[in-house]
Structure formats: structure tokens, C-alpha cells
Amino acid sequence: MKIALDKVAKTFETFRAVRGVSLEIGSGELVALLGPSGSGKTTILRMVAGLEYADEGQIFFGDEDATDIPVRERGVGFVFQHYALFPHMTVAENIAFGMKVSKVKRERTQIDARVADLLRLVKLDGLGERFPSQISGGQRQRVALARALAVDPKVLLLDEPFGALDANVRRDLRRWLREIHDELGITTLFVTHDQEEALDLADRVVILDQGRIVQEGTPEEVCRRPGSAFVMKFLGDTNRLEGTATGGRADIGGTVIDAQDVPDGKVELLARPGDLGWRTEGGGIAADVLRVIDRPEGRRLLARTAAGDTVEIDVPADMQVRARDSGFIEVRRGNVFPA
């Protein structure tokens, strides 16, 4: 089922949450809406679900105009951050609930068979008679997903589905959700503010800021070719170094790098800690090491340039370097934007 949003907008009393968003989600595609708080992610999701109505624009499911279709008739499955399970019902009863109240009538044996299939799908075999309070948070979220899938939705909508869980459980559930999606092939739209989650899971990432789409593309495209300083800064740890551009070249602390298509004038170099290197000779941006931070995967240096900028640099775990050492920052990669 393909979803299309055509110049959709939504205004609340004091602000405009979504501003003329146009977006197409292909059948069977898993798309992440990513952005800071207040960027319009959840409002878009709720409009697709029918829980909010657009002030302008249209929403299509395939060729059908779904803009004004009531939520119960849209055929969507919705998974919330906080599970929204019925505490007085067993796991099996929670999963069966949507089928029992659906307009599509099913025999009891059909419902029981569907619940058993879904319990196997979400790897909760044997837990159907337990109550939500008797299972873990990660298992509750699996129940919430099974309940959303029970009614055979055209579209699956996920609103910060793992936000209430700890980091290790989130990582496990991300891998599991991708496996479920690949098996079922259901068109899925999910909201998150977690960059790692979006990049791990999605076929395509849509980045929003102040109710507008600022960039969309595959995880590789948005990571390797950020379209703006906002996208670069939002997607992970970023160092900022000031400089000046002239004739397609930028001077950053005495190091000259390529800056094609950047107008002459003041610029900022944005670089990830892994885009920079550290050396004791050979030139670069002069700096002093303030602190060495050891991590399981390597070392990170906190350094300060002669211009007073504080920079984080990832180096090999076996690099011999200490606080107060002097040396040079090597720019291996980075993106230059007008300041």
C-alpha cells in the first residue's frame, strides 16, 4: 500500500506544526520520520492515522483519497511508545481485541488461530495467558505490535516505539522489527528522535525541522551527503571550525580544503570525530590535547585549537597520546557551509 502526502499542513492554536509537507512512501517501504522535538513528526503520523485532520492538502492510500476517512476505517495499525495495553486482559486477549471489535466478523477459532500465529511471529509463544504486568517492557512492546498486526492493516505506524526501553533492549528490538518488516513487507512509517534507530532500521529517512522536510534519502545519502548544516549537526557528534572561503577553497586554521560551490566569505567546517586525525608533526590545525577519553572501541581526544575551538577526535586505541600534548589536527573529511 503506497502512501502519499500532498502539501499537507496542520495548525494548532499557537503554532503551525506541519507546513506544506509533500511525501510519498512506496508500497512495502519502511520510512523513518526523524527530527528534534516539535519538528512535526508525530503530527504527520497522527494525520496519516486519522487521529488529526489536515487543514490543507490531501493524504492518499494508493489511489484512494484518505484525507477525511475516519480512523476506524483507514485500516492502519498504530503502535505507541507506552504500549497502551489493557492491564486487565491477558496477552492473548490484548492481541485479539482489535479482531473482536472489527467490522470484519471472525469465528472464535479463526481469532484463536490468528493470535497463536502472531505470538509465534513476535517470539512470545507460551506467554498468551500472562498479563502485561507479568512480562518485560520489551515483551509488552512486542504484544503491542502483534495487536496492531492482528487486523491485517494496510499501513503500520510506529510512534517512538522503543523510547521507553533501555538501550540494550532497544537495539535487540530494532533488529527484530526489521526482520518482521522484511518478512511481512508491510508499508511502515515510524517516528523517532533517535538518529541511530532511524539509520539502523529505515529504507529511507525523512528529516524534519519546524514542520518542514529539510532532507530525505537513504541512510547513506543523508549521512554522507548532508544537504545543510542543520542536517549535519543533527545526525551525530559534530565539530565546528570557523574559516574563510575564497575561490572554491576554504582556509580553516591554516589548513586549506576544497569548498566548491560555497560562496566567498566566512564559512564553517563541520566534521565528525572520525573525520579528523591527530599527528605530532607534518602540519595541520595546531592544537593541544585537553583530555583523553578511553572507550571500548577506541580513544577520543578532546583538544583545543589556537583559535580557541574545542574539538573531539577519534583515534586508534593504541595511539600513545596524553593530556597537554601538542600536535596537529588533520582534516580527512568534512563539509563546508556558509557561516
Side-chain angles (χ1 to χ4, degrees), residues 76 137 140 159 190 210 256 294:
V76 302
R140 287 177 212 161
D159 188 9
F190 80 98
Q210 298 182 358
V256 178
D294 280 293

Side-chain angles (χ1 to χ4, degrees), residues 278-335:
W278 178 259
R279 55 193 181 195
T280 56
E281 56 185 23
I285 302 170
D288 296 319
V289 176
L290 300 176
R291 188 180 171 201
V292 180
I293 303 169
D294 280 293
R295 296 177 173 175
E297 67 276 9
R299 310 189 93 181
R300 178 166 290 189
L301 308 185
L302 190 64
R304 180 170 294 153
T305 69
D309 295 316
T310 300
V311 179
E312 295 186 4
I313 310 159
D314 285 342
V315 299
D318 58 355
M319 176 177 278
Q320 298 302 305
V321 58
R322 295 178 297 179
R324 295 186 293 276
D325 283 356
S326 295
F328 301 93
I329 298 169
E330 175 191 7
V331 180
R332 295 168 179 165
R333 291 176 299 275
N335 292 274

Side-chain angles (χ1 to χ4, degrees), residues 78-87 94 132 140-141 144 147:
F78 208 123
V79 180
F80 299 91
Q81 176 178 346
H82 295 291
Y83 324 126
L85 301 179
F86 298 113
N94 267 282
R140 287 177 212 161
Q141 197 58 285
R147 184 178 61 182

Side-chain angles (χ1 to χ4, degrees), residues 2 17 29 33 58 64 70 103 148 172 219 231 262 268 324:
K2 182 175 73 175
E29 192 175 18
L33 298 179
Q58 295 172 288
E64 180 183 19
K103 290 183 178 181
D172 290 342
V231 172
V262 177
E268 57 180 2
R324 295 186 293 276

Side-chain angles (χ1 to χ4, degrees), residues 1-260:
M1 171 62 67
K2 182 175 73 175
I3 308 172
L5 287 73
D6 183 23
K7 297 181 179 177
V8 172
K10 176 66 178 179
T11 304
F12 293 102
E13 287 186 12
T14 57
F15 69 101
R16 193 159 213 193
V18 177
R19 305 164 182 263
V21 166
S22 293
L23 175 65
E24 186 168 309
I25 301 167
S27 181
E29 192 175 18
L30 195 159
V31 172
L33 298 179
L34 179 62
S37 297
S39 60
K41 309 181 300 295
T42 294
T43 301
I44 291 173
L45 200 74
R46 290 175 63 85
M47 286 192 291
V48 173
L51 298 172
E52 300 281 356
Y53 285 93
D55 298 321
E56 303 171 20
Q58 295 172 288
I59 298 171
F60 291 89
F61 286 2
D63 296 325
E64 180 183 19
D65 187 345
T67 311
D68 298 317
I69 295 177
V71 59
R72 287 192 63 183
E73 299 174 18
R74 289 203 183 192
V76 302
F78 208 123
V79 180
F80 299 91
Q81 176 178 346
H82 295 291
Y83 324 126
L85 301 179
F86 298 113
H88 63 286
M89 293 183 181
T90 65
V91 166
E93 289 169 342
N94 267 282
I95 296 171
F97 179 78
M99 292 183 282
K100 291 179 178 179
V101 300
S102 172
K103 290 183 178 181
V104 179
K105 299 303 179 185
R106 293 178 172 87
E107 298 293 332
R108 177 60 185 267
T109 54
Q110 292 177 307
I111 293 175
D112 290 345
R114 178 66 172 155
V115 169
D117 287 342
L118 287 166
L119 285 170
R120 283 192 293 272
L121 181 70
V122 300
K123 297 181 172 56
L124 294 177
D125 313 60
L127 300 183
E129 297 308 310
R130 294 192 186 182
F131 288 90
S133 61
Q134 297 174 317
I135 59 177
S136 70
Q139 289 171 329
R140 287 177 212 161
Q141 197 58 285
R142 291 176 186 236
V143 175
L145 179 61
R147 184 178 61 182
L149 294 172
V151 294
D152 297 315
K154 303 172 186 174
V155 175
L156 182 62
L157 305 175
L158 308 167
D159 188 9
E160 301 273 10
F162 310 133
L165 304 172
D166 66 53
N168 288 333
V169 175
R170 284 203 307 270
R171 280 193 291 271
D172 290 342
L173 284 180
R174 284 203 298 263
R175 288 191 288 268
W176 168 79
L177 178 60
R178 184 69 223 196
E179 291 172 3
I180 293 287
H181 176 268
D182 291 344
E183 181 176 340
L184 299 179
I186 187 170
T187 305
T188 303
L189 180 64
F190 80 98
V191 159
T192 181
H193 67 274
D194 185 324
Q195 299 96 324
E196 182 179 299
E197 185 169 282
L199 298 171
D200 279 1
L201 265 175
D203 298 313
R204 187 157 49 98
V205 178
V206 177
I207 302 172
L208 294 130
D209 183 37
Q210 298 182 358
R212 299 183 188 278
I213 295 174
V214 293
Q215 188 169 352
E216 60 178 290
T218 65
E220 180 185 7
E221 288 168 344
V222 298
C223 286
R224 304 294 171 245
R225 296 185 291 280
S228 66
F230 169 82
V231 172
M232 180 78 182
K233 291 174 183 176
F234 183 71
L235 291 177
D237 296 339
T238 306
N239 294 297
R240 180 182 182 274
L241 295 166
E242 295 183 347
T244 305
T246 306
R249 305 286 285 173
D251 185 326
I252 310 292
T255 292
V256 178
I257 62 175
D258 185 68
Q260 295 295 326

